[in-house]
Amino acid sequence: MEKKNIDWANLGFGYVQTDKRYVANYKDGAWDDGALISDATVAISECAGVLQYAQTCFEGLKAYTTEDGHIVTFRPDLNAARLKSSCERLEIPVFPEERFLEAVSETVAANEAYVPPYGSGATLYIRPFIFGSSAVIGVAPAAEYQFRVFTTPVGPYFKGGAKPLTIRVSDFDRAAPHGTGHIKAGLNYAMSLYAIVDAHQKGFDENMYLDPATRTKVEETGGANFLFVTKDNKVVTPKSDSILPSITRRSLITVARDYLGLEVEEREVFFDEVKDFAECGLCGTAAVISPVGKIVDHGKEICLPSGMTEMGPVTKKLYDTLTGIQMGRIEAPEGWIHVIK
């Protein structure tokens, strides 16, 4: 199929409407058969559960053109499982995991012309989401829901690409100790908007959120997990019940252990330790890994030895290996790559 006339190399991380999206509706206790449609608009009641009480959750994954010309997705089964967990926590009827995988594949195939070519630096971002669509005025779950999948071609999440970021320690909490920080709920991201806008206005790229109970341990940013590297090349990731179980982070842990032979620790990371790390990165579907060069704690600067000009050496190896797996240059672990066509 002929690709769309898009300047792939200069795409930002924004919405570009594509031709088709998948829609299924839940009513009277069951999901309908679902279908691909052309209409990108959503018509719902002004009293819809999603509008009144933010009853919605979502996922994010990407489709890639591999070196040998296939269109693939990366570990979509984990996205399906995570959406299930999010639905259960928000009293949303679960969209079956097998149907999730089928919907993603159908939507990507229908928008093949928008999948960026291999080597362009761009990818096709896939956004599955579910929301309460029926009217709710008393505080209660909606009776009807809609599941949708749309796609959009994107470039790097951060404008500077791999340029190291400057982040600050936030005075705000991202999630409550026993709240919804571990699921991909829209309300979590709404809570982070004021903090990220304030950070940008003050010259920072992102926020570092500490644990809401004691504010002594590193949790995550508004949209990515942390990954640290010690001075003896050990990879360390924060462990907490109130951070999102990032698929990218989990994949990088496997890459570090099994491909690079590095020691990995998943544990609580105290903020007092941060000054002693050699490298720091933010990892997630959108950015893969974005290096952090400087962390500012209320005016006190922590400058990582990896510097402000490029990724640290271990972070770079992790990034190159994972993207190599995603793009088909490096053999993937069994089950990681789902071939669409």
Side-chain angles (χ1 to χ4, degrees):
M1 178 180 287
E2 185 178 351
K3 297 293 183 183
K4 295 290 183 178
N5 185 23
I6 294 174
D7 185 2
W8 306 107
N10 290 308
L11 274 175
F13 197 89
Y15 175 69
V16 176
Q17 184 176 317
T18 55
D19 294 338
K20 299 289 184 180
R21 64 272 312 132
Y22 181 93
V23 179
N25 291 287
Y26 181 91
K27 186 177 182 179
D28 298 328
W31 288 101
D32 66 17
D33 292 337
L36 289 169
I37 67 170
S38 299
D39 189 358
T41 60
V42 179
I44 52 175
S45 166
E46 63 185 354
C47 197
V50 62
L51 301 179
Q52 301 308 314
Y53 302 118
Q55 197 186 13
T56 180
C57 54
F58 69 98
E59 274 301 319
L61 62 159
K62 290 178 175 178
Y64 311 84
T65 301
T66 60
E67 191 172 36
D68 59 5
H70 288 295
I71 295 174
V72 306
T73 52
F74 180 71
R75 308 191 79 179
D77 55 310
L78 297 188
N79 294 97
R82 192 168 63 182
L83 186 68
K84 177 178 183 289
S85 296
S86 297
C87 287
E88 290 171 344
R89 180 64 175 81
L90 296 177
E91 285 296 330
I92 295 173
V94 171
F95 193 74
E97 293 179 56
E98 284 304 314
R99 288 194 60 190
F100 175 99
L101 297 176
E102 292 168 3
V104 166
S105 294
E106 288 178 21
T107 310
V108 172
N111 293 296
E112 180 185 353
Y114 292 91
V115 180
Y118 174 78
S120 65
T123 54
L124 187 74
Y125 187 79
I126 308 161
R127 173 54 60 85
F129 61 111
I130 300 181
F131 58 89
S133 55
S134 60
V136 179
I137 196 65
V139 180
E144 299 174 8
Y145 297 84
Q146 190 168 104
F147 170 77
R148 296 176 75 100
V149 183
F150 70 80
T151 60
T152 179
V154 297
Y157 186 73
F158 291 102
K159 292 179 181 178
K163 181 182 177 182
L165 307 174
T166 298
I167 65 176
R168 70 168 182 185
V169 176
S170 178
D171 288 326
F172 300 98
D173 291 330
R174 178 188 158 272
H178 301 288
T180 58
H182 63 294
I183 65 169
K184 209 164 176 66
L187 58 91
N188 294 341
Y189 296 80
M191 288 175 61
S192 74
L193 294 178
Y194 179 88
I196 191 60
V197 169
D198 183 65
H200 288 166
Q201 289 174 344
K202 292 175 180 174
F204 302 100
D205 297 299
E206 251 292 4
N207 290 291
M208 171 184 279
Y209 291 103
L210 303 180
D211 74 290
T214 70
R215 299 192 59 78
T216 61
K217 291 171 280 191
V218 176
E219 291 253 300
E220 61 175 308
T221 69
N225 282 186
F226 277 103
L227 181 147
F228 298 100
V229 181
T230 66
K231 291 175 181 175
D232 59 355
N233 292 340
K234 183 185 298 179
V235 174
V236 179
T237 63
K239 186 176 183 180
S240 167
D241 291 335
S242 57
I243 64 175
L244 191 71
S246 164
I247 293 164
T248 303
R249 175 181 56 80
R250 285 180 275 171
S251 301
L252 287 167
I253 287 170
T254 299
V255 166
R257 284 176 175 154
D258 298 347
Y259 283 74
L260 303 180
L262 300 173
E263 187 177 348
V264 177
E265 287 185 351
E266 297 176 77
R267 60 172 175 79
E268 291 183 335
V269 175
F270 286 86
F271 180 69
D272 287 347
E273 299 178 66
V274 171
K275 66 183 185 305
D276 298 320
F277 289 123
E279 302 174 37
C280 173
L282 309 182
C283 55
T285 298
V288 185
I289 308 179
S290 291
V292 174
K294 186 187 298 183
I295 300 166
V296 181
D297 177 20
H298 300 86
K300 181 181 178 181
E301 294 186 352
I302 299 172
C303 298
L304 280 300
S306 51
M308 291 297 296
T309 57
E310 58 187 7
M311 282 189 177
V314 175
T315 304
K316 183 71 162 58
K317 287 179 183 177
L318 289 167
Y319 176 88
D320 288 346
T321 306
L322 184 59
T323 54
I325 290 169
Q326 292 170 334
M327 296 294 179
R329 297 188 298 268
I330 298 173
E331 185 175 354
E334 185 177 353
W336 278 26
I337 303 298
H338 179 74
V339 178
I340 293 174
K341 60 185 306 180

